[in-house]
Amino acid sequence: MIRELLLLASSLFSPQPAEDLDAAAILRRAAEVQKAGEVGGEVSDFHVKLYLQVRDAERGKMEFDVERKYKAPDRIWTHVEEKVLSGAVYEEGYDGKAAWRYDRNSGKLVRYEGPDFKTDRRKILQELDDMRQLLRFFFLERQIGELADLARLPDELNEKGDGQCHVVEGKGDLGEGEGGEVRVRAWVEPETFVLQGVRIEYLEQPGKSLCFRFSHHRLTPQGLFLPGSVRVYRDGEEDWSERIALATEEGEDGEDRNSIRFNVGLADDLFAPPEK
């Protein structure tokens, strides 16, 4: 039903044939489908529950139940349950100044301070940066105004290999200390104008890239139309390094919703370590 409504909306949005649309027009139509409204202009925070799979070179594929809270620009809190391998249940967080981990099974609090926890701090800061970049380049209404040198590239075969995607590319600037100049490429489904993927290439760091591929789009409880599944590819790798599946909840109409909420007013103290 949702696909049929999207096709209808797409046909009514503009009489201009898709093959004649320029890069900005493709992004505008895809932004309209996202229904992001004011959220698309600025995300102050979000709260989500999800299922996470991670490929690890030493431990193989790991699976986690995750609850995450994020507050811009530099706070993150994650509750993790690793049921399959270790049974670990813990929280990790960064409150804008310090990183920490609290083990629910043992009650032990570890502050990631000093050289022994360099890898742990780097991991949390990488997750924080991933959240910032995903939010920065996902909502397309913002990208129309921020990306320079927008260009439409030749259509490409989609990931499933059963159709084409419109391809749009432009340049952005994350600023000093955040990654500098980047090249951003977006893939858009040509009939529904649903965003299928975004790749960020860091031009000042050769070989570094971050690619998000999207699927299972549904409405959220706030009425946004967003993917329920995200696959993350790093530095040109062929296989995903992380796969995220959002939890769903039933809407008033009985249809499943992708359970994520934006700009809910998360307090700063939610990201501090528990008091001992």
Side-chain angles (χ1 to χ4, degrees):
M1 180 63 178
I2 289 178
R3 181 178 177 86
E4 285 76 7
L5 289 173
L6 285 171
L7 287 168
L8 177 60
S10 177
S11 66
L12 295 175
F13 188 85
S14 170
Q16 189 175 7
E19 59 268 19
D20 296 333
L21 295 175
D22 62 15
I26 291 173
L27 291 183
R28 280 195 296 270
R29 293 183 70 167
E32 181 75 8
V33 169
Q34 288 182 327
K35 303 179 184 295
E38 294 182 359
V39 171
E42 182 176 3
V43 175
S44 58
D45 60 44
F46 71 79
H47 180 201
V48 65
K49 292 182 179 181
L50 52 92
Y51 169 70
L52 172 67
Q53 292 180 303
V54 177
R55 294 185 192 271
D56 184 89
E58 297 180 356
R59 300 176 64 187
K61 187 169 67 174
M62 300 180 292
E63 302 177 356
F64 308 90
D65 290 323
V66 175
E67 179 181 3
R68 171 162 287 174
K69 299 174 184 177
Y70 165 84
K71 184 172 183 178
D74 58 3
R75 287 176 169 83
I76 192 169
W77 174 94
T78 309
H79 175 89
V80 179
E81 296 185 21
E82 187 182 1
K83 297 178 178 178
V84 176
L85 294 178
S86 67
V89 181
Y90 61 90
E91 278 102 40
E92 281 187 324
Y94 184 77
D95 63 3
K97 296 180 180 179
W100 53 270
R101 173 178 171 137
Y102 177 68
D103 190 300
R104 283 285 171 186
N105 292 329
S106 67
K108 182 180 180 180
L109 173 66
V110 176
R111 299 180 186 274
Y112 290 154
E113 300 172 344
D116 291 343
F117 297 103
K118 182 178 179 180
T119 299
D120 300 284
R121 287 196 304 273
R122 184 186 300 118
K123 171 181 171 291
I124 289 183
L125 293 176
Q126 179 65 65
E127 291 175 351
L128 187 60
D129 185 63
D130 287 352
M131 291 298 99
R132 282 196 294 258
Q133 304 320 325
L134 176 59
L135 293 172
R136 182 185 183 106
F137 293 105
F138 175 70
F139 290 114
L140 295 175
E141 188 67 41
R142 180 175 178 179
Q143 296 316 305
I144 296 170
E146 288 193 355
L147 291 179
D149 301 329
L150 273 177
R152 178 176 176 178
L153 305 183
D155 289 357
E156 294 181 357
L157 194 66
N158 64 24
E159 278 196 301
K160 294 181 178 180
D162 60 1
Q164 297 288 309
C165 274
H166 295 324
V167 185
V168 173
E169 193 171 88
K171 287 185 178 180
D173 194 343
L174 301 179
E176 187 176 353
E178 292 290 331
E181 191 176 29
V182 293
R183 180 180 291 112
V184 181
R185 178 174 290 194
W187 291 270
V188 176
E189 206 280 329
E191 292 184 334
T192 63
F193 286 86
V194 169
L195 181 65
Q196 298 293 318
V198 174
R199 186 179 71 196
I200 306 160
E201 180 184 356
Y202 295 79
L203 299 179
E204 298 174 18
Q205 303 174 63
K208 181 179 179 180
S209 65
L210 186 62
C211 182
F212 303 99
R213 288 287 187 171
F214 308 123
S215 60
H216 298 86
H217 293 73
R218 301 184 185 93
L219 293 173
T220 74
Q222 294 171 310
L224 287 69
F225 188 73
L226 301 180
S229 177
V230 181
R231 297 181 308 287
V232 183
Y233 301 79
R234 300 179 186 278
D235 305 331
E237 60 190 0
E238 293 185 3
D239 292 326
W240 51 265
S241 55
E242 293 109 51
R243 184 164 64 182
I244 300 165
L246 272 63
T248 60
E249 59 184 86
E250 186 175 311
E252 294 180 357
D253 58 0
E255 296 288 335
D256 284 342
R257 299 283 186 265
N258 283 329
S259 185
I260 184 170
R261 288 173 169 83
F262 298 91
N263 298 351
V264 295
L266 297 177
D268 289 349
D269 59 10
L270 292 174
F271 303 89
E275 296 183 2
K276 300 295 292 178

